Amino acid sequence: MGLTCQQLLQKHPQAWQEATIHPFLQECQQGTIQPQQFNTWLVQDYLFVIDFTRFLARILAIAPPHNFDILLAGLSALKDELNWFQTKAAERQLQLNTDKQPTCIEYCDYMQSLSATPYAAQATALWAIELAYNQGWQLPGAMPPPYTEFADRWGNPDFTTYVDFLEQQADAALSNASEEVQQQATAAFLNVARLEKDFWQMAYTVTSDQ
Ligand code: HMH
């Protein structure tokens, strides 16, 4: 019996809800988020995406060649995303050359540690990381400016299609996975869910230079 991404979502609804529904996103949708909190998230997410890019590059290095199309498109989109983060930070006069907060460090360290796990577990983590933002930014409904473009970046239909492809790739890798590998993939899913929840909460821990 294989494991699928949909089964992970069905078996762990609470963990996934906490990853994708948070006051931070609701306050963006209501336009009531404090700029300091939004800016804290923005800077920390830029630092996260740098390490996430490295994570995706390591996945590419062990992926079957028929997965290259999707993964290379993902890497290319991340190149644009990093440049976009720099533009957004400059607009808000934010210093990107800053320390990671403990939660951001933990998440980045966790992505690093996944390189010791089989491809199926890494592909599952990649799917979960992207789905968390795809659903998280979509669920509250349309967001007012200046948050519209943030919600669109991860909530747009092309990004949803990309996440669907990541799901297919993870499912294919999981389809012939041993019990042990399935457990590693489940652990990856649950760790991503927990770290996503913590990452939203981190926005409320404002550091002095933001
Ligand atoms: C914390 N999770 C976090 N940041 C992101 N930018 C994504 C997922 C989606 O790439």
Side-chain angles (χ1 to χ4, degrees):
M1 259 292 283
L3 176 69
T4 67
C5 292
Q6 287 305 316
Q7 284 172 0
L8 287 169
L9 291 170
Q10 282 157 15
K11 279 189 218 158
H12 308 285
Q14 169 94 16
W16 196 249
Q17 266 208 6
E18 289 173 1
T20 52
I21 299 173
H22 191 277
F24 178 90
L25 291 162
Q26 282 151 8
E27 288 170 20
C28 287
Q29 196 267 329
Q30 286 157 10
T32 56
I33 187 90
Q34 296 297 310
Q36 271 199 328
Q37 290 163 352
F38 190 79
N39 292 345
T40 297
W41 165 80
L42 195 153
V43 170
Q44 294 296 317
D45 210 49
Y46 171 74
L47 299 174
F48 169 86
V49 172
I50 291 175
D51 277 45
F52 179 62
T53 303
R54 297 194 170 112
F55 170 65
L56 184 47
R58 286 191 300 269
I59 293 184
L60 176 70
I62 58 164
H66 61 269
N67 287 359
F68 280 12
D69 265 10
I70 302 300
L71 299 177
L72 284 167
L75 277 170
S76 174
L78 285 176
K79 173 183 78 84
D80 292 341
E81 188 163 304
L82 287 166
N83 291 333
W84 174 81
F85 266 112
Q86 289 175 6
T87 304
K88 294 301 114 189
E91 284 172 11
R92 292 166 175 265
Q93 283 150 16
L94 300 174
Q95 179 65 256
L96 287 174
N97 183 17
T98 187
D99 288 342
K100 286 185 184 126
Q101 289 202 28
T103 296
C104 187
I105 293 174
E106 189 187 348
Y107 206 161
C108 292
D109 286 352
Y110 180 65
M111 287 191 290
Q112 175 79 52
S113 77
L114 280 167
S115 62
T117 67
Y119 179 68
Q122 295 188 47
T124 303
L126 173 63
W127 158 75
I129 291 170
E130 295 292 39
L131 183 70
Y133 263 40
N134 181 234
Q135 293 189 343
W137 285 101
Q138 269 176 0
L139 283 173
M143 293 199 185
Y147 308 112
T148 322
E149 66 173 305
F150 290 85
D152 286 351
R153 168 157 288 275
W154 292 285
N156 78 73
D158 285 348
F159 194 77
T160 303
T161 302
Y162 171 63
V163 177
D164 286 344
F165 280 123
L166 294 180
E167 178 178 337
Q168 288 169 29
Q169 294 189 348
D171 280 350
L174 287 167
S175 66
N176 54 5
S178 66
E179 192 64 39
E180 186 195 353
V181 174
Q182 291 181 33
Q183 279 169 17
Q184 288 172 297
T186 302
F189 173 80
L190 290 173
N191 277 315
V192 166
R194 172 180 57 83
L195 289 161
E196 287 291 333
K197 166 177 65 83
D198 292 350
F199 207 93
W200 296 125
Q201 192 56 39
M202 179 183 58
Y204 296 84
T205 314
V206 175
T207 53
S208 55
D209 59 346
Q210 286 153 30

